[in-house]
């Protein structure tokens, strides 16, 4: 019974007018596409969303290109806008968050200070390893590789391999 309810909710979210999936998108079970806070989701041809993937717009837009693979239990938020190019591989348990809490006023609780929303752009042919965190305001250029477990707080150049906390250049692919 619970499974049927989850299946029905997933179907309703899939059918919303602000969710645009190419006919060739492969969506596995327990994928959540949530635009209830506004915004939109757009996913290109031959992209796959594996088990337990969560896409939540929070009023922003999530756009994923063609031939991408979003692996199990990855969470993608859309607050400030998230654009993912073509042929991007995102390993499991990755979290991409295009927003950040404001916290400069000590007399006001952090949850009452609002958010900044710069957005995140991930260009074509990028590989993001397992368990990475990509934070607001970052652009990852084409051909970059993000090592497993990295926390990306700054832009990543074309064909660069980064890793660590915070992510630093490990080497260039060229």
């Amino acid at each position: 019974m619970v499974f049927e309810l989850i299946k029905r909710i997933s179907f309703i979210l899939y059918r919303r007018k602000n969710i645009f999936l190419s006919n060739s998108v492969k969506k596995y079970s327990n994928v959540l596409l949530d635009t209830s806070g506004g915004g939109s989701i757009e996913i290109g041809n031959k992209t796959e969303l594996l088990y337990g993937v969560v896409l939540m717009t929070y009023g922003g837009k999530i756009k994923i290109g063609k031939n991408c693979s979003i692996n199990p239990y990855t969470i993608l938020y859309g607050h400030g806008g998230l654009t993912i190019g073509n042929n991007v591989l995102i390993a499991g348990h990755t979290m991409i968050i295009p927003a950040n809490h404001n916290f400069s006023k000590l007399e006001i609780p952090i949850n009452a200070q609002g958010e900044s929303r710069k957005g995140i752009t991930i260009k074509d042919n990028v590989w993001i390893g397992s368990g990475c965190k990509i934070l607001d305001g970052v652009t990852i250029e084409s051909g970059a590789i993000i090592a497993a477990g990295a926390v990306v707080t700054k832009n990543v150049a074309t064909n660069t391999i980064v890793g660590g906390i915070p992510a630093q250049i490990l080497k260039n692919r060229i």
Side-chain angles (χ1 to χ4, degrees):
M1 172 129 170
V2 172
F3 177 73
E4 287 302 315
L5 178 60
I6 290 171
K7 189 175 177 182
R8 189 176 315 139
I9 289 170
S10 180
F11 180 75
I12 291 168
L13 291 172
Y14 175 80
R15 297 280 317 257
R16 289 187 139 194
K17 291 182 181 178
N18 51 353
I19 296 177
F20 307 95
L21 304 181
S22 165
N23 289 336
S24 61
V25 169
K26 194 173 202 179
K27 186 173 147 252
Y28 290 73
S29 64
N30 295 327
V31 170
L32 174 62
L33 306 177
D34 184 357
T35 58
S36 62
S40 64
I41 296 171
E42 182 180 334
I43 303 175
N45 291 329
K46 297 183 181 178
T47 288
E48 60 180 357
L49 305 173
L50 280 85
Y51 305 98
V53 167
V54 174
L55 279 67
M56 299 178 75
T57 57
Y58 290 108
K61 181 176 182 179
I62 298 172
K63 182 177 181 182
I64 302 171
K66 63 182 180 182
N67 199 36
C68 296
S69 180
I70 315 298
N71 280 269
Y73 308 106
T74 291
I75 300 173
L76 307 178
Y77 290 152
H79 300 72
L82 171 59
T83 302
I84 298 173
N86 300 318
N87 302 302
V88 173
L89 303 171
I90 302 177
H93 296 275
T94 292
M95 189 159 197
I96 301 178
I97 312 166
N100 199 4
H101 290 284
N102 298 325
F103 55 87
S104 62
K105 298 176 183 173
L106 297 177
E107 67 280 2
I108 299 174
I110 293 170
N111 65 357
Q113 292 188 46
E115 296 176 337
S116 64
R117 297 178 175 200
K118 298 175 185 173
I120 294 173
T121 301
I122 300 168
K123 304 240 177 129
D124 296 343
N125 190 33
V126 169
W127 175 22
I128 299 173
S130 177
C132 289
K133 311 298 183 257
I134 315 293
L135 303 183
D136 193 30
V138 166
T139 296
I140 300 174
E141 297 290 344
S142 297
I145 297 173
I146 313 301
V151 176
V152 181
T153 61
K154 295 180 182 172
N155 293 343
V156 178
T158 302
N159 294 320
T160 302
I161 301 172
V162 301
I165 303 173
Q168 311 248 347
I169 296 173
L170 301 176
K171 67 182 189 174
N172 291 310
R173 292 181 61 203
I174 299 175

